[in-house]
Amino acid sequence: GAGVSQSPSNKVTEKGKDVELRCDPISGHTALYWYRQSLGQGLEFLIYFQGNSAPDKSGLPSDRFSAERTGGSVSTLTIQRTQQEDSAVYLCASTLAGSSYNEQFFGPGTRLTVL
Amino acid sequence: DQQVKQNSPSLSVQEGRISILNCDYTNSMFDYFLWYKKYPAEGPTFLISISSIKDKNEDGRFTVFLNKSAKHLSLHIVPSQPGDSAVYFCAASDGNKLVFGAGTILRVKS
């Protein structure tokens, strides 16, 4: 596809369940970012992957959150034992180089609702 | 702590008039700033950016102004069009990541 895609577009889960969110970046983009946007808040950085380097996990809010990027392409964000405060829109972005000076191309997001 | 602040949650402007969206930041180490536009159910899209070595950058109807001493930037849209109605996010480059403000909802009335 031409742009960043994310799946599912919507996810409703019960508190305590695990969820996996998927991101397909633009082909050839070496850098991939995960952000989340809670209601009334700005986008909050979660994690950053660049090539084969160790990811920058400094934005992950707790050890219930983890992310992988397989083969330098697709990424999965996993939230274990979901809590109601995890409800947010989770956005993925990719870019050609590792610097955020380049515009980041965002996917449409996954809206997560934890009941 | 919010390092990037957009203090106006919403702004309503008449078509044809100027829209001015404001953004303040606290970290003087930020050296690059960007504006993103977001429609409902879509991801943000890049609009315009400015380096800290400049005080103005213009692209068509969009101009971004940077006042480093005040740690303030603004986005001017002129003339405003109904299709400009969206959420506008200000962001600052912090190493490998962007720090975003909470966004301002712009409504352009026809």
Side-chain angles (χ1 to χ4, degrees):
Chain A
V4 177
S5 61
Q6 292 185 245
S7 60
S9 55
N10 281 285
K11 177 71 176 178
V12 180
T13 190
E14 293 179 346
K15 178 181 171 181
K17 296 286 181 70
D18 297 352
V19 294
E20 284 190 352
L21 312 179
R22 176 187 169 106
C23 171
D24 283 88
I26 293 173
S27 177
H29 279 193
T30 58
L32 185 148
Y33 304 78
W34 282 97
Y35 294 87
R36 75 175 175 182
Q37 184 183 13
S38 303
L39 190 63
Q41 304 295 317
L43 280 71
E44 173 191 4
F45 167 78
L46 297 177
I47 189 169
Y48 157 71
F49 296 91
Q50 167 57 16
N52 295 321
S53 303
D56 177 354
K57 304 179 182 180
S58 60
L60 294 179
S62 78
D63 59 6
R64 296 186 295 104
F65 288 73
S66 62
E68 290 184 339
R69 189 177 185 193
T70 54
S73 180
V74 172
S75 178
T76 302
L77 177 69
T78 301
I79 309 173
Q80 296 178 311
R81 305 180 303 282
T82 52
Q83 304 294 313
Q84 287 183 335
E85 61 263 28
D86 299 335
S87 297
V89 177
Y90 288 80
L91 290 154
C92 174
S94 69
T95 187
L96 266 173
S99 169
S100 58
Y101 284 41
N102 292 326
E103 55 183 272
Q104 296 183 11
F105 294 85
F106 282 84
T110 294
R111 180 175 297 278
L112 175 65
T113 303
V114 182
L115 302 177
Chain B
D1 61 332
Q2 276 190 298
Q3 296 189 72
V4 177
K5 298 179 184 178
Q6 294 177 254
N7 292 318
S8 297
S10 65
L11 174 67
S12 187
V13 171
Q14 196 67 34
E15 180 180 7
R17 299 291 187 101
I18 185 171
S19 296
I20 300 176
L21 298 109
N22 294 303
C23 178
D24 297 290
Y25 61 96
T26 57
N27 188 341
S28 58
M29 298 302 291
F30 290 151
D31 60 358
Y32 200 79
F33 303 89
L34 306 91
W35 284 93
Y36 280 80
K37 175 180 178 179
K38 184 181 184 303
Y39 292 118
E42 296 182 11
T45 55
F46 170 76
L47 192 56
I48 192 169
S49 62
I50 188 167
S51 165
S52 61
I53 62 174
K54 295 186 175 181
D55 55 17
K56 176 182 175 181
N57 188 27
E58 189 173 353
D59 183 2
R61 296 185 297 113
F62 303 91
T63 303
V64 55
F65 296 91
L66 175 63
N67 182 333
K68 282 186 64 178
S69 60
K71 296 192 183 69
H72 177 84
L73 64 156
S74 60
L75 174 67
H76 293 211
I77 307 173
V78 56
S80 301
Q81 300 174 353
D84 296 330
S85 297
V87 180
Y88 289 80
F89 291 99
C90 169
S93 175
D94 181 15
N96 293 323
K97 62 182 183 284
L98 294 176
V99 181
F100 284 84
T104 296
I105 300 170
L106 174 65
R107 297 186 185 90
V108 180
K109 298 176 289 186
S110 56

